[in-house]
Amino acid sequence: LDHETILVERKGRTALLTLNRPKALNALNLQVMNEVVAATEALDRDPDCGCIVITGSERAFAAGADIKEMQPQGYMDMYLADWFTAWDRLGQLRTPTVAAVSGYALGGGCELAMLCDILLAADTAVFGQPEIKLGVIPGIGGSQRLTRAVGKAKAMELCLTGRTMDAAEAERAGLVSRVLPAGALIGEALAVAETVAGMSLPVAMMAKEAVSRAFETSLAEGVRFERRLFHAVFATADQKEGMSAFADKRPAVFRHR
Ligand code: HXC
């Protein structure tokens, strides 16, 4: 696959996708969106890929949607192109995804990070939804996912004032799972991805689906959904392998079946 705005590397059962528009701080124009979505959907169809890491540069994960591309657009342009809708497909991948965020994750950059399943931050990371300063609002789910991640108090303040959060505040607020020294970010993100990719792929997919369902439904419905999936994993060969390996005191070797 040929890409101009991203780099995709395979490392064993993991994939590393690097946003690569350094001169624009990885601003997310439509080409970036289309390339990220096409590349991740191809990886999602590959049974030999068990986890996808998405990262940017040291200075910027992504400084937002591309302001210069949006500036001349009118309502009918945005509506007819259904601007940004393709990003939703990133959130619908079955393969687990990890965002490794260093530097700016603003506007669409913060939204892209929140579309991923695990969010790791370098101590240099800066998160925010500063769209209001440009006379617009978040458009890739930021008003919804940030609110679910950190609660109304901080989400409302960030969306109404454009204030940004540093990595420590983002971790306290529950937006990121861990903060790492900048130099350790990619190594740790790849290690996390390798761990996830070493699990049974169908079972990891079901675990992801179960946690994701918590954001879509009531507690009782969510628990019922989990219970169905829990029963279903007993149809996998990997459940037999995982539990036999425990009994035999040896590491499990999953076959992703
Ligand atoms: C297009 C961008 C960009 C963006 C940076 N650049 N962010 N281009 N869209 N979102 C470009 C700059 O124009 C500049 O290009 C180059 O990247 C370097 O940026 P500088 O501003 O010179 O760097 P610095 O002074 O270090 O400031 C970094 C920054 C600032 C604080 C991140 O760039 C910034 O505030 N960017 C915008 C952040 C933002 O508002 N994001 C939300 C976007 S709206 P040149 O050619 O001049 O060198 C959004 C909406 C989503 O995401 C959905 C709603 C519609």
Side-chain angles (χ1 to χ4, degrees), residues 87-103:
W87 282 119
D88 298 344
R89 284 153 54 192
L90 187 64
Q92 286 157 12
L93 299 178
R94 301 208 298 168
T95 309
T97 53
V98 178
V101 175
S102 178

Side-chain angles (χ1 to χ4, degrees), residues 93-248:
L93 299 178
R94 301 208 298 168
T95 309
T97 53
V98 178
V101 175
S102 178
Y104 297 112
L106 300 178
C110 187
E111 294 170 302
L112 169 57
M114 292 190 293
L115 276 164
C116 296
D117 301 315
I118 297 177
L119 214 168
L120 298 175
D123 48 16
T124 58
V126 178
F127 296 91
Q129 299 291 159
E131 288 90 343
I132 192 116
K133 295 202 237 171
L134 301 166
V136 296
I137 69 168
I140 315 174
S143 65
Q144 306 304 299
R145 290 196 180 87
L146 186 65
T147 307
R148 281 164 158 79
V150 307
K152 174 180 168 178
K154 271 190 200 289
M156 197 62 100
E157 190 200 342
L158 296 191
C159 289
L160 286 176
T161 68
R163 178 174 83 78
T164 58
M165 285 194 287
D166 64 15
E169 182 178 0
E171 187 184 28
R172 281 199 306 279
L175 179 62
V176 310
S177 66
R178 276 191 291 147
V179 178
L180 299 150
L185 177 71
I186 283 296
E188 186 57 24
L190 290 172
V192 168
E194 204 180 309
T195 299
V196 173
M199 305 302 176
S200 167
L201 179 58
V203 177
M205 286 172 166
M206 288 188 227
K208 164 175 173 160
E209 209 185 341
V211 174
S212 301
R213 189 57 70 100
F215 295 93
E216 306 275 349
T217 193
S218 69
L219 179 62
E221 279 302 327
V223 170
R224 271 194 287 274
F225 182 77
E226 179 200 73
R227 189 69 31 79
R228 293 284 183 243
L229 288 176
F230 171 70
H231 294 162
V233 296
F234 285 79
T236 65
D238 286 335
Q239 173 267 327
K240 298 289 173 292
E241 166 60 12
M243 292 190 169
S244 306
F246 176 82
D248 299 348

